Amino acid sequence: MKASYKKMVKMAMTTVMAGGIMMMGQSAMAAPAQPQVHVDSATKDMPGHVASKVLDVKADKTEVGLISNVVYEQVPSRGYANVPMQMDILQPKTKEKKPAILFVTGGGFINANKDNGIQLRMHLAENGYVVGSINYRVAPTAKFPEPLEDVKAAIRYLKANADRFGIDPARVGIVGGSAGGYLTAMAGTTSGTKTFDKGENLQVTSDVKAAVDLYGLSDLTQVGADFSEEVQAKHRSAGATEALWVNGSPVFGGRDGGILADKQAAEAANPIHYISKTSAPMLLMHGTADTVVSPSQTDLLYQALQKSGIPSERYLVTGAAHGGKYWVQEPVLKIITDFFDQYLKK
């Protein structure tokens, strides 16, 4: 009886061990072995073989891919019922969901070239952000708030397609320069509201967690305030692009006159008008040599944000003009990236 019991135990142990070995074998088979590379084996024994230099590289830089001309909405424009508005997307090639930043180009309210800002966009992408750059409707064939509606539609598009582009929809920011800085400020101050949300993907919000306004406009009635009286007079003229932005073209049903022709409409196009407790934290930067948009434009907005208790910072960049090489230098790019990191990564 005892001998029989011992024999049964021994057989059971053997079966368990065999099963374990089989499982280990299956596990080993599940993980494919790294293929071996016998470097230069076909040439190393050649007569007079010359050795190559060896470069050891630390692979710590993120690879970035480009997805071009993604249609984020279709809108009526320039006599057409459906005009596609497009976005280029820089996508870091990593597996985890990443925060996203929308870049809004400038263009004096009359152009919107999404090819602009490539160095800033690439810098942000290399630091772990999915970055979209858009075109949008412009004056004189469009007027406020239509371009802002486009910007908000682009934010919603990124959120609605978060899985497709590897985005965490809860972590979205926005950055822009000049007219794009103004639109960024508008998106930031109206964040947390449904103001100007129109069009597609309304099941998600156009809220942003952080906004960076580079030398943007804020009070369209004072764009030339830091310049000569001659320049200020030009900004008061009917031909000033800020007037076309707010009033439209009088030939096509818009209001004639300069930016002061309709003070109520000008006020409604001022980001300061929309500051509330839900407005996004904002970084503002302006060059001391800007002769296109008065540096006081960003200061007006900064003072209003501070007064309302909205987390905000403002930097004056010594010698920087309206755009140009100062804005692609490492100290400037670092301040912008650090600001986004503070609100989109931590």
Side-chain angles (χ1 to χ4, degrees):
M1 188 83 177
K2 288 183 179 180
S4 176
Y5 176 76
K6 287 182 179 179
K7 187 176 181 180
M8 289 173 62
V9 170
K10 186 175 181 181
M11 288 176 64
M13 291 293 291
T14 302
T15 302
V16 170
M17 290 175 64
I21 291 169
M22 286 178 67
M23 289 178 66
M24 288 174 64
Q26 290 171 354
S27 176
M29 288 174 64
Q34 190 72 16
Q36 284 189 322
V37 179
H38 302 288
V39 178
D40 294 347
S41 61
T43 59
K44 68 178 182 179
D45 293 329
M46 284 183 176
H49 179 268
V50 179
S52 299
K53 295 178 180 178
V54 176
L55 180 64
D56 291 323
V57 176
K58 184 179 180 181
D60 56 1
K61 191 172 185 177
T62 302
E63 185 182 5
V64 176
L66 170 64
I67 307 170
S68 301
N69 300 324
V70 176
V71 175
Y72 69 88
E73 68 170 352
Q74 296 194 65
V75 290
S77 181
R78 305 185 186 214
Y80 297 93
N82 280 0
V83 175
M85 295 289 107
Q86 296 182 326
M87 176 189 305
D88 290 344
I89 297 175
L90 293 175
Q91 187 178 36
K93 294 187 177 182
T94 56
K95 292 181 180 179
E96 70 277 2
K97 293 286 185 74
K98 296 162 286 295
I101 296 171
L102 184 70
F103 172 79
V104 187
T105 185
F109 293 143
I110 56 174
N111 293 302
N113 184 352
K114 64 182 171 57
D115 293 345
N116 293 334
I118 186 62
Q119 286 169 283
L120 170 58
R121 290 190 282 135
M122 182 59 77
H123 181 84
L124 291 169
E126 288 177 343
N127 280 274
Y129 291 95
V130 175
V131 183
S133 178
I134 61 168
N135 58 17
Y136 52 87
R137 286 172 286 181
V138 294
T141 53
K143 66 176 186 177
F144 182 85
E146 291 169 335
L148 178 58
E149 292 169 1
D150 297 341
V151 169
K152 286 179 169 277
I155 295 168
R156 295 195 308 273
Y157 179 85
L158 288 173
K159 291 183 179 183
N161 292 274
D163 290 340
R164 177 182 174 188
F165 299 116
I167 293 169
D168 178 354
R171 296 184 291 156
V172 176
I174 186 169
V175 59
S178 192
Y182 160 83
L183 286 166
T184 291
M186 288 295 301
T189 55
T190 59
S191 184
T193 75
K194 293 187 180 298
T195 308
F196 305 116
D197 273 312
K198 181 180 178 182
E200 302 168 25
N201 298 309
L202 293 172
Q203 75 278 12
V204 294
T205 74
S206 60
D207 298 352
V208 292
K209 296 291 186 184
V212 176
D213 173 358
L214 306 176
Y215 44 88
L217 306 88
S218 61
D219 183 343
L220 301 184
T221 68
Q222 301 185 64
V223 177
D226 295 334
F227 307 141
S228 68
E229 176 54 37
E230 181 184 3
V231 172
Q232 292 184 47
K234 291 178 180 178
H235 280 286
R236 290 192 295 267
S237 74
T241 54
E242 60 264 33
L244 295 173
W245 181 261
V246 173
N247 300 331
S249 169
V251 175
F252 296 101
R255 179 184 289 272
D256 195 11
I259 189 65
L260 297 174
D262 188 338
K263 292 184 179 179
Q264 187 174 358
E267 172 66 17
N270 182 344
I272 296 171
H273 182 72
Y274 299 96
I275 295 174
S276 72
K277 63 180 181 180
T278 65
S279 296
M282 196 173 301
L283 168 66
L284 304 103
M285 302 183 79
H286 219 124
T288 61
D290 193 331
T291 59
V292 178
V293 171
S294 296
S296 61
Q297 283 287 291
T298 49
D299 197 32
L300 285 167
L301 179 54
Y302 176 59
Q303 299 305 324
L305 290 167
Q306 286 285 303
K307 187 176 292 186
S308 297
I310 306 301
S312 50
E313 302 174 29
R314 181 174 183 259
Y315 286 83
L316 287 170
V317 182
T318 305
H322 194 75
K325 64 183 180 180
Y326 278 86
W327 298 100
V328 298
Q329 302 308 312
E330 184 60 32
V332 172
L333 297 178
K334 185 177 187 306
I335 286 172
I336 295 170
T337 306
D338 287 350
F339 183 81
F340 279 128
D341 286 351
Q342 181 180 354
Y343 291 101
L344 300 182
K345 287 187 178 180
K346 293 181 181 178

